[in-house]
Every structure is written in structure tokens, then in C-alpha cells.
Amino acid sequence: MAKSEKINFSTPSGFPEFLPGEKRLEVYLLDTIRRVFESYGFTPIETPAVERLEVLQAKGNQGDNIIYGINPILPPNRQAEKEKAGESGSEARALKFDQTVPLAAYIARHLNDLNFPFARYQMDVVFRGERAKDGRFRQFRQCDIDVVGRRELSLLYDAQMPAIITEIFTAINIGDFLIRINNRKILTGFFQSVGIEESKIKSCIGIIDNLEKIGEAKVKQELEKEGISPEQTQKIIEFVNIKGTVDDMLDKLKHLAQIMPEAEQFNLGVTELEAVITGVRNLGVPENRFCIDLSIARGLDYYTGTVYETTLLGHEALGSICSGGRYEELVGVFLGEKMPGVGISIGLTRLMSRLIKAGILNTLAPTPAQVMVVNLQTELMPLYLKVSQDLRKAGINVITSFDKRGLGKQFQLADKQGIQFCVIIGADEAAAQKSSLKDLKTGEQVEVGLANLAEEVKQRLVPKG
Amino acid sequence: MAKSEKINFSTPSGFPEFLPGEKRLEVYLLDTIRRVFESYGFTPIETPAVERLEVLQAKGNQGDNIIYGINPILPPNRQAEKEKAGESGSEARALKFDQTVPLAAYIARHLNDLNFPFARYQMDVVFRGERAKDGRFRQFRQCDIDVVGRRELSLLYDAQMPAIITEIFTAINIGDFLIRINNRKILTGFFQSVGIEESKIKSCIGIIDNLEKIGEAKVKQELEKEGISPEQTQKIIEFVNIKGTVDDMLDKLKHLAQIMPEAEQFNLGVTELEAVITGVRNLGVPENRFCIDLSIARGLDYYTGTVYETTLLGHEALGSICSGGRYEELVGVFLGEKMPGVGISIGLTRLMSRLIKAGILNTLAPTPAQVMVVNLQTELMPLYLKVSQDLRKAGINVITSFDKRGLGKQFQLADKQGIQFCVIIGADEAAAQKSSLKDLKTGEQVEVGLANLAEEVKQRLVPKG
């Protein structure tokens, strides 16, 4: 068979693909995340990869993102159809770049078939035409949850988010993390109170959001560019740098609120933040897992209340590993209805690839098989097949070897794939309805009756990596 | 908030999306299929949605399919970058239209990191620009497995496929089905033996593949158009119509093979078919689940040996619900190496949507939650949150109601979502560390101590639909 000449079969730049052991890790993470999401009653949805361009671009939805339009390519033998209606290429369509705009469209499409508050999770891949560098991908999977209400939505939904974040990152066991909570109304209100014009507040919040990334000096410069006075800047910097325990912070904020009774936004933000913190505590989130951080702003300008970021302690350079917040005017965009929502997002593809690189997560074995029934004598194959099926019926993942090479080679192949056990049956053993069970991890080999084999394997199985 | 004017927020034609109860059914089916695949040691992979166009079109890979190219669309505020390298649009890329070409590319990309025989499953969505009608989608999910060998691959891998098909369709409980097995070498060899030219055999097999769909008269016409004589056509029709039990069929085929010793392909096909059937039986597949059907050909011309189709009995109009076969020259296309493989595919999106319409599958409840802790007195919220967390820790999916309306409305909302239990706690119950557990299915309400609540719920839970 001739090799196809000159075909570049590598993946297009920025479109990642995983080896089996990496993909198995992703599947494990997705299962774990899903289990936590579902335990809070979030239900799965999936929106198409493709939406109408006008949906993706409505009301500036596209933001700064480069998105991918799609256009039909006819096969060589169907070029004659180009002008026909085979695939009406007339409507502009593009790949989704996030899951928030599609959520808004989904709710608009199915309004009367959904129950509110509508709590959904979505773990689809999304597409952005960014420069493929620094662990940025053009296709990546996001694990998002949002609860959306009609007209109003309890702040206790905001309080559930840190509980969910805590359970997920505890379950996947990546070390100590800290959820940093703030409320955009507090920032907006404080900016108002120091006399910053309404029209500049969103961009100022965007600048503050970069404080940790670009440092104080650069933030001061950028605020100056926005026309903020040095005195105002000083007050802002001092304010967002207030540190302390959760209770200290709440006390300080409540004190400020008291001495600024006219600062409505600020007062409302403090009240909201306190209600959220109370809920977080009532949900049993450990005190060392969350804090109030007034410098957390979230760049996206649709957030209106609670905002969250999550830092992996000792690995701050990773950036936030789970972020989100409360918004008012996002989901109702297609319906012209106020639909407040609160949500969080884990950028799983990026997170996983960075946690693997940092040695925090290990890839799994390349196969889910736990047992290989080896091929010692081909004439015993009917028995090997039967034994394999019996193990499978007991819930064990089994590869039956059809390899004609010696046992050594078969053991080697099993070991390379991370299979823990080999089952060896020769003619004598077959006659006696027995097998040798070899543990490739310890080298130990024991004789086990075929009737007890599944039970024996289950007892000896080390949870499969 | 003003309604966005004139935005058509419906899904683009042919791009389906499911309501939560449908998506939950898909998740359940995917979990079930995955469990069976993994029990045979198939390991998950996922290739990017986007490949280089030259990969998708290599060696006529595109076939008859209309595929979707992608092109970057800059946001309004970044139009100036159009000519810059922000997103190098220079290389032509398109969305994958199946998972076989990407499998070939994946193996070429990671040859030295994979273990052979390489057994992988893949359950990604693929894209085809077909007319959106008759339950055909432009985006759909396929569940594929393939085993690929280097140079050779045991026929026992072919034998495993019907065992896997049987386990999946038995587990998802959709009624009686029949796996129809054939071998392309038998057809090719028979066509040779009646004197049909080599160059016409593939197209003749393609015509025979349509026998069930278009009927005998139409098949005769089409064969005539190919220049096949009425005598040859007669012999072909008679041959593919041979019916009988598996053993009858094997006897007839072996008899034909004996009297046509010079028909090498035919003889080889019969030998392969018999080996596969023996394996299928040794794997314990019930006799009523498979047959030999000489009219099964599979239209795709890359199949070279075993082929399968699966018919849902009583619902023949659905077409094959799981198909596949053996191929030799497909996967090695980028490497110029012979890599024989065998695989099957379930077109899940289409299958599920048709099985729902036919009343064979029921959608699930719209939420995974099994319990709603209702909001009777808001001052007891700390207790409601704690009780909810205790239930979640016991593995139960819980929605805590933050609803301020009366209990009736809350029960109604729980019931609409298919939640089985409501937990009701008033001040007296709180003081006594008790709750009322209301079963919305039966209307029964029992008093349960909070310490025993999780256990009680678990015992009473009906497996969640």
C-alpha cells in the first residue's frame, strides 16, 4: 500500500488531542464533576456546536473573540450542486465560543418546556480563534453550571457555588485551594463614592481585575489613562487591598456601609455578600476554603453581583481554576425579559493540561482493562473466551489476548498498558477448572479455581489508575 | 431590558438540541455503551472537531459527504488585524464528518505511543452538510469502536463485535434485535465465479446492499445498467437470497466452496465467516441474536471481510441500528502501512431520536434530583441546607428549595421535574430532629428522624427515570 504523499496529518495548531491515558483522566474528571453537579440537581444540556452568526454576535455577544464561521465544501463528484439547495449555505453560521450565549438561546428556544429556577450543567467543547500559545487552545472543553430564574433568584444559589467548587476540587484531590469571593456592587458602589463617573466604572473594574496579573504600578498608570485622579486611585488601591479574615472583612465593610448610608450600591453589595457568606457557612464549606477578596472583579462586564475566583495555593501562576458570578441582563437577551443567573465555569482542557505539566495530576493507565486472559494454547481459546465473559459479567474489564507470541511478550503488553492481572490457563489447569492469577504489580502468582476467579480478582484489584 | 429585535435565535437547521429529559437519556445511553466498550478493554480517545482539509480529503476520504470548512471571523473591534497573523487562516481546515479518517490520522500522529492491537472507542459529534430531513442531522454523535492491528489482526476481534452489540442492546432494553453477519470476500468471490469483471464488483456490491431498501426489481435494473447479464443477475439474486439457520447456511456455503475450489476469495470468505461464527458462539451470544445474511454488503467500499448490520425486529424501517465490518487499507492511509481493523458504529443521535418517536425509548425525568428539601419556614434555612448536604454526602441528588411560595407550589414544581421525595421540616420537627418524608409518586408521607433520613430515602427510591 502506497503512502499518501505529502499529506500533513498533524492536528491543526491549537486543536488538542489526548493520548488514551490523558483522555481517560479527562473522562474521570468529567465523571467526578458531573456527579457533584448532579448532587445539587443540575441537569445536563448540550447545545449544538453551530449557532446562527446573528445569535453569536447579538448585542456584542462576540466580545473580543475571534470565532469560526462554517461553510459547506462539496465533494469533487458533487460540484454540480454548487448552486442548488443541497446544503443551503445562505444563512451565516459559526461555532460557539462559549456556553453562556448558547444558554441564553436555549432558554429562549425552550422557555415553556423548562422549569425555573433552571439549573443546568454543560460540558461541551467551544471554539475560539485565539493565538495558539501559552496553553491556550482553539478548541477546549468547559464545565459550566448556571442557575437562571425568572425575574428573581435567591442569593442562596450564589452561596451554593463555593460549596460545589469545594466538593469538586476536594474530590479530584489537587491540593489546597482558596475561593475568593467578592461582589461587584461593592466595587461599583465604592467607585461611585470616590466620585468616579458612571461611564468609567466598568473599565475601572476591568483594570482592577488585572491587579494581581500586572501589579500596582501598572494599574495606577492605567487608571490615570482613564482620567482617574491620583487621590481616587489611592483610595481604590487601598480599598481593594483590605485584607483580613472573613469576619474582619465583613465588619470593615459593614462599618464603611454605615458611614456611607447614601452609597446605595455599596450597601446593597455588602448585604448581598454577607447573605452569601452566611449561606456558604451553613452549607458546611470549611473556613479555610474561602475568603473575601475585594480585588476580585472578573473582567467580563456582564457580572453584576457576587463574583468568584479560585486559586490553587502554591500554584498561583495557574490563574483562577474556577470562576464565575451573578449576572442580570445576560440570559434574557433574546427574550427581552430580566432573567438573573449565577454560574461558574471550569476551563477543563486548559486546567488539566496545566495540572499534568505541573505534576499535580497524573495521567491514567492507557486501557480500562484490569485483566488480560493470556493465550497459552490456542486450542483452549473457547475456554479463554468463556472465562473472559464470566469476568466481564462480574463487572471486570477484560482483554482476551489473541496474541500468538509467547507469554513473556503478552505479560509485557499487559504491563505496558497498566493491566494489573494476567489469567493463565494451560491444559492441566483447564482440566481441573483452575487458573493461575498473576499480579503484574507484585509478581505474585496464585492458583484460583475458575468458579472463584472473579471474586478473587475483585478482592485483589487496586483502584485502577 | 429591551428585547433584541429581529434576532432569529432558533437552532440552525439540522443542528439538533435536546430538552433536559432527552439529554439525560442520551447521557444514560452513553454511560451504558461506554461500560460495555470498556469491559472489552476499549479505551477512550477524542480527536479534535477540526482537521486539516487535506487530511479529510486524502485519497478520496471525503467520499460523497458535504463537509464544513471553518474560517475565522474577527470581532468588530479587531478588524484591523485582518491581515495580521492573529489567527493564521492560511491553512484550510474543516469539521470532521466521521471518526474513521480521524482514527487513521490519530494512529499516524501517535504511532509510537500506542499499544497494538489498538482498541479504542470514540463517542464524539461529527458534522455533515446533508439535507436536514428524515431524521438526518448535520451534527450527530456516533459511538464507534475499532480494533486496529499492525500487519495482522485475529478474526476473533471480528467475533467480539456481535457480543458487544448484543450486550449493549440488551442493556438498553429496546426489544428483540438480530445481528446479520456476512463476509465481503464471499460476495466478491461469488461475483467472480459468475464471471463479473473485477472493475464492476464493488459497484455491484453497492447495488446488492440496497436490495432490502429498493427491492429486487430495482436491483435487477441497476445491475443491468452496470452491464450484468440477466443470467448473472439471476444467479446473484438467488445466491444472496439463500436463507436458513446459521448451521444450514454454513453447510451450504462450505458445499459451494468445495465445488468451486478455484474460487479463492469465496473459499477464504467462507473460512473466515465460519471462524467468526465459532467465536461468536464461544463468546456466548444467544443463537437468536445473530444470523448469516448473504445480502448484507455495507455500501462503504472500504470493507474487505466480515460485515455486520443489526435489525430491530418489528422496526425494520429504522434501518440498521449498528453496523460495521473489517477493513484492510483504511487506517494505514497516512503511514503507507497495512493496518487491518474491524469496527462497529452506532449512530446514537439518529437512533435515539427515532426510538423516542417510535415509543421504544422514553425520555428521563428533567432533573437528576431525587429529593427536594422544601422551604416551609425561611428561618429554618440553615437546617434545610445542612439536611441537604447530609443527603448529598450519602449519594442522593438534592434540590434545596429557596422558593418563598407555599408548599403546594413547591410540591408541584418537584413533581413536574420528576423528583420522587419532598422533605418537610417545620419548627416542631426541627426541635425534635425529625422530618416528614413525602413520596410524590404514592402520596404517602412518613415521619423520619433526621439521623435516618438518608437511609430511609435510599430504601424507598425507585430507580430514577
Side-chain angles (χ1 to χ4, degrees):
Chain A
M1 179 173 175
K3 184 166 173 170
S4 296
E5 294 304 331
K6 292 181 196 151
I7 294 173
N8 178 355
F9 53 70
S10 62
T11 50
S13 169
F15 291 88
E17 110 186 323
F18 297 127
L19 285 173
E22 294 165 334
K23 179 64 190 173
R24 289 193 63 236
L25 174 60
E26 192 195 38
V27 169
Y28 161 76
L29 295 175
L30 287 168
D31 283 349
T32 305
I33 293 167
R34 193 219 303 184
R35 182 171 50 70
V36 177
F37 286 170
E38 294 199 344
S39 78
Y40 285 79
F42 288 81
T43 199
I45 70 164
E46 180 178 0
T47 62
V50 175
E51 292 278 357
R52 293 172 195 276
L53 187 58
E54 60 182 316
V55 165
L56 298 181
Q57 294 185 324
K59 292 222 163 190
N61 276 340
Q62 183 177 356
D64 281 341
N65 299 296
I66 298 175
I67 61 182
Y68 289 111
I70 66 165
N71 56 286
I73 299 173
L74 285 165
N77 59 336
R78 291 175 67 181
Q79 289 298 320
E81 296 173 44
K82 211 147 206 168
E83 299 306 312
K84 290 203 307 180
E87 216 286 342
S88 64
S90 56
E91 69 190 22
R93 295 160 298 183
L95 296 173
K96 64 181 169 189
F97 62 91
D98 77 357
Q99 303 192 105
T100 312
V101 175
L103 172 63
Y106 184 91
I107 288 177
R109 297 195 276 248
H110 306 291
L111 189 66
N112 296 322
D113 293 315
L114 302 177
N115 299 296
F116 290 87
F118 178 55
R120 79 87 176 84
Y121 71 89
Q122 202 165 345
M123 316 210 288
D124 314 345
V125 292
V126 299
F127 302 86
R128 291 185 198 170
E130 299 307 322
R131 270 195 192 81
K133 56 155 196 183
D134 306 334
R136 295 220 171 260
F137 298 113
R138 290 172 174 172
Q139 167 179 335
F140 53 95
R141 193 177 296 280
Q142 281 188 191
C143 302
D144 288 6
I145 47 173
D146 290 86
V147 195
V148 174
R150 297 191 78 164
R151 284 168 296 278
E152 56 175 13
L153 188 73
S154 166
L155 286 167
L156 287 167
Y157 289 108
D158 302 42
Q160 282 188 341
M161 296 295 163
I164 292 168
I165 296 172
T166 299
E167 278 183 52
I168 288 171
F169 290 115
T170 303
I172 64 179
N173 195 23
I174 54 171
D176 283 339
F177 56 91
L178 183 64
I179 304 162
R180 300 149 83 188
I181 307 175
N182 195 9
N183 188 300
R184 287 274 285 246
K185 292 189 181 76
I186 294 178
L187 287 180
T188 304
F190 187 82
F191 286 19
Q192 288 168 337
S193 78
V194 300
I196 293 173
E197 293 162 53
E198 237 15 79
S199 63
K200 290 184 177 171
I201 288 182
K202 276 193 180 175
S203 55
C204 287
I205 288 180
I207 294 168
I208 288 300
D209 188 50
N210 284 325
L211 182 60
E212 204 162 42
K213 214 192 296 178
I214 64 178
E216 210 170 291
K218 197 97 204 306
V219 162
K220 282 181 178 167
Q221 274 177 28
E222 297 213 356
L223 287 173
E224 200 187 330
K225 267 192 240 163
E226 283 291 316
I228 311 303
S229 76
E231 296 71 34
Q232 288 170 325
T233 296
Q234 194 52 35
K235 282 180 186 165
I236 290 172
I237 299 273
E238 268 170 29
F239 178 70
V240 301
N241 275 331
I242 298 175
K243 299 283 175 233
T245 66
V246 169
D247 290 318
D248 284 349
M249 297 292 286
L250 281 177
D251 284 344
K252 285 177 194 166
L253 288 169
K254 286 195 281 188
H255 175 72
L256 276 173
Q258 265 177 349
I259 61 173
M260 307 194 292
E262 74 297 346
E264 263 182 58
Q265 278 283 304
F266 188 86
N267 273 266
L268 185 54
V270 173
T271 306
E272 285 185 7
L273 181 60
E274 187 173 24
V276 170
I277 294 291
T278 302
V280 168
R281 286 175 161 160
N282 284 331
L283 283 159
V285 179
E287 289 288 324
N288 64 340
R289 286 288 170 243
F290 64 97
C291 70
I292 294 173
D293 186 332
L294 300 172
S295 73
I296 297 300
R298 303 301 302 143
L300 297 167
D301 66 4
Y302 53 71
Y303 291 119
T304 53
T306 313
V307 283
Y308 322 89
E309 289 197 357
T310 310
T311 304
L312 191 59
L313 300 175
H315 299 273
E316 286 72 9
L318 291 177
S320 175
I321 60 174
C322 180
S323 314
R326 158 79 69 142
Y327 44 83
E328 305 290 328
E329 307 245 322
L330 185 64
V331 173
V333 62
F334 299 111
L335 295 169
E337 189 184 314
K338 181 175 158 166
M339 301 189 92
V342 61
I344 51 171
S345 179
I346 301 173
L348 190 66
T349 307
R350 183 154 192 247
L351 178 65
M352 191 180 96
S353 91
R354 298 187 70 168
L355 292 182
I356 291 173
K357 266 194 200 136
I360 300 166
L361 277 179
N362 293 314
T363 60
L364 303 191
T367 175
Q370 298 149 325
V371 170
M372 178 183 278
V373 177
V374 299
N375 183 14
L376 184 58
Q377 292 179 246
T378 302
E379 44 296 15
L380 293 174
M381 189 52 74
L383 179 61
Y384 299 155
L385 293 176
K386 185 185 175 306
V387 168
S388 301
Q389 292 297 63
D390 289 344
L391 291 171
R392 288 184 189 116
K393 275 184 199 124
I396 297 163
N397 298 333
V398 182
I399 288 177
T400 320
S401 174
F402 307 137
D403 203 327
K404 290 171 195 148
R405 298 173 304 171
L407 283 196
K409 291 278 183 196
Q410 296 182 47
F411 291 156
Q412 214 175 17
L413 185 59
D415 195 41
K416 258 176 82 178
Q417 296 183 80
I419 296 173
Q420 189 180 349
F421 294 106
C422 284
V423 170
I424 311 150
I425 308 174
D428 293 349
E429 283 142 325
Q433 287 289 299
K434 283 183 185 164
S435 67
S436 290
L437 182 65
K438 184 183 175 74
D439 186 329
L440 295 178
K441 291 194 178 157
T442 63
E444 194 192 354
Q445 188 165 325
V446 291
E447 202 179 80
V448 185
L450 291 180
N452 308 320
L453 186 57
E455 213 35 61
E456 190 70 30
V457 167
K458 279 185 172 178
Q459 276 174 25
R460 290 168 176 263
L461 261 181
V462 174
K464 171 107 179 145
Chain B
M1 179 173 175
K3 183 165 172 170
S4 295
E5 292 306 330
K6 290 183 198 150
I7 294 174
N8 178 353
F9 53 68
S10 63
T11 50
S13 171
F15 291 88
E17 106 185 328
F18 298 126
L19 286 172
E22 295 165 333
K23 179 63 189 172
R24 288 192 63 236
L25 174 61
E26 191 194 39
V27 169
Y28 161 75
L29 295 174
L30 288 168
D31 283 348
T32 305
I33 293 168
R34 193 220 300 186
R35 182 172 49 71
V36 176
F37 287 169
E38 294 198 345
S39 78
Y40 285 79
F42 288 82
T43 199
I45 70 164
E46 180 178 1
T47 62
V50 175
E51 291 277 358
R52 291 172 197 275
L53 187 59
E54 61 183 317
V55 165
L56 298 181
Q57 294 185 324
K59 292 222 163 190
N61 276 341
Q62 184 177 355
D64 281 342
N65 300 296
I66 298 175
I67 60 182
Y68 289 112
I70 65 165
N71 56 285
I73 299 173
L74 284 165
N77 59 335
R78 291 174 67 181
Q79 290 297 321
E81 296 172 45
K82 211 146 206 169
E83 298 307 311
K84 289 203 306 181
E87 215 286 341
S88 65
S90 56
E91 69 190 20
R93 295 159 298 184
L95 297 172
K96 64 180 168 189
F97 62 92
D98 77 357
Q99 304 192 105
T100 313
V101 175
L103 172 63
Y106 184 90
I107 289 176
R109 296 194 276 247
H110 306 291
L111 190 65
N112 296 322
D113 292 316
L114 302 176
N115 298 296
F116 290 87
F118 178 55
R120 79 86 175 85
Y121 70 90
Q122 204 165 345
M123 316 211 288
D124 314 346
V125 292
V126 299
F127 302 85
R128 290 185 199 171
E130 298 307 323
R131 269 194 193 81
K133 56 155 195 182
D134 306 333
R136 296 220 171 261
F137 298 114
R138 290 172 174 172
Q139 168 179 334
F140 53 96
R141 192 177 297 279
Q142 282 187 192
C143 301
D144 288 6
I145 47 173
D146 289 87
V147 195
V148 173
R150 296 192 78 163
R151 286 169 294 280
E152 56 176 12
L153 187 73
S154 167
L155 286 167
L156 287 167
Y157 289 109
D158 302 43
Q160 283 188 342
M161 296 295 164
I164 292 167
I165 297 172
T166 300
E167 278 182 53
I168 288 171
F169 290 115
T170 304
I172 65 179
N173 194 24
I174 54 170
D176 282 340
F177 57 89
L178 183 65
I179 304 162
R180 300 149 83 188
I181 308 175
N182 195 10
N183 189 300
R184 287 273 288 245
K185 293 191 181 75
I186 293 178
L187 287 179
T188 305
F190 187 82
F191 286 17
Q192 288 168 337
S193 77
V194 299
I196 293 173
E197 293 161 52
E198 246 3 88
S199 64
K200 291 184 176 171
I201 287 182
K202 276 192 179 176
S203 54
C204 288
I205 288 181
I207 294 167
I208 287 300
D209 187 50
N210 285 326
L211 183 59
E212 204 162 43
K213 214 191 295 176
I214 63 178
E216 211 170 290
K218 198 97 207 305
V219 161
K220 282 181 179 167
Q221 276 176 27
E222 298 214 355
L223 287 174
E224 200 186 331
K225 267 191 240 163
E226 283 290 318
I228 310 304
S229 76
E231 296 71 33
Q232 288 170 324
T233 295
Q234 194 52 37
K235 281 182 187 163
I236 290 171
I237 299 274
E238 268 170 29
F239 178 71
V240 299
N241 276 331
I242 297 175
K243 301 282 174 232
T245 65
V246 169
D247 290 318
D248 284 350
M249 298 291 288
L250 281 177
D251 284 346
K252 285 176 194 166
L253 287 169
K254 285 195 280 188
H255 175 71
L256 277 173
Q258 266 176 348
I259 61 174
M260 304 195 294
E262 75 296 348
E264 263 182 57
Q265 278 283 304
F266 188 86
N267 272 265
L268 185 54
V270 173
T271 307
E272 286 185 6
L273 182 60
E274 188 173 23
V276 171
I277 295 290
T278 302
V280 168
R281 285 176 161 159
N282 285 330
L283 282 159
V285 179
E287 288 289 324
N288 64 341
R289 287 288 170 244
F290 64 96
C291 71
I292 295 174
D293 186 333
L294 300 173
S295 73
I296 297 300
R298 303 302 302 143
L300 297 168
D301 66 3
Y302 53 71
Y303 291 118
T304 53
T306 314
V307 283
Y308 324 87
E309 289 196 358
T310 310
T311 303
L312 191 59
L313 298 176
H315 299 274
E316 286 73 8
L318 290 178
S320 175
I321 59 173
C322 179
S323 313
R326 157 79 69 144
Y327 44 83
E328 305 290 329
E329 306 245 322
L330 186 64
V331 173
V333 61
F334 299 111
L335 295 168
E337 188 184 314
K338 182 175 159 167
M339 302 188 94
V342 60
I344 51 172
S345 179
I346 300 174
L348 190 67
T349 308
R350 182 153 192 248
L351 178 65
M352 190 180 96
S353 91
R354 297 188 69 170
L355 292 182
I356 291 173
K357 266 192 200 137
I360 300 166
L361 277 180
N362 294 313
T363 59
L364 304 190
T367 175
Q370 298 149 326
V371 169
M372 178 183 278
V373 176
V374 298
N375 182 13
L376 184 57
Q377 291 178 248
T378 302
E379 44 296 16
L380 293 174
M381 189 53 74
L383 179 61
Y384 299 154
L385 293 175
K386 185 187 175 307
V387 169
S388 301
Q389 291 298 63
D390 289 344
L391 291 172
R392 288 184 189 116
K393 274 184 200 124
I396 298 163
N397 297 334
V398 182
I399 289 178
T400 319
S401 173
F402 306 137
D403 203 328
K404 290 172 196 148
R405 298 173 305 171
L407 281 197
K409 290 279 183 197
Q410 296 182 48
F411 291 156
Q412 213 175 16
L413 184 60
D415 194 41
K416 257 175 82 178
Q417 295 184 81
I419 296 174
Q420 190 181 349
F421 294 106
C422 283
V423 170
I424 310 150
I425 308 175
D428 292 349
E429 283 143 325
Q433 288 289 300
K434 283 185 185 163
S435 67
S436 290
L437 181 64
K438 184 183 176 73
D439 186 329
L440 296 178
K441 290 194 178 156
T442 63
E444 194 191 354
Q445 187 164 326
V446 290
E447 202 178 81
V448 184
L450 291 180
N452 307 320
L453 186 58
E455 214 34 63
E456 189 71 28
V457 167
K458 279 185 173 178
Q459 275 174 26
R460 290 169 177 262
L461 259 182
V462 174
K464 170 108 180 147

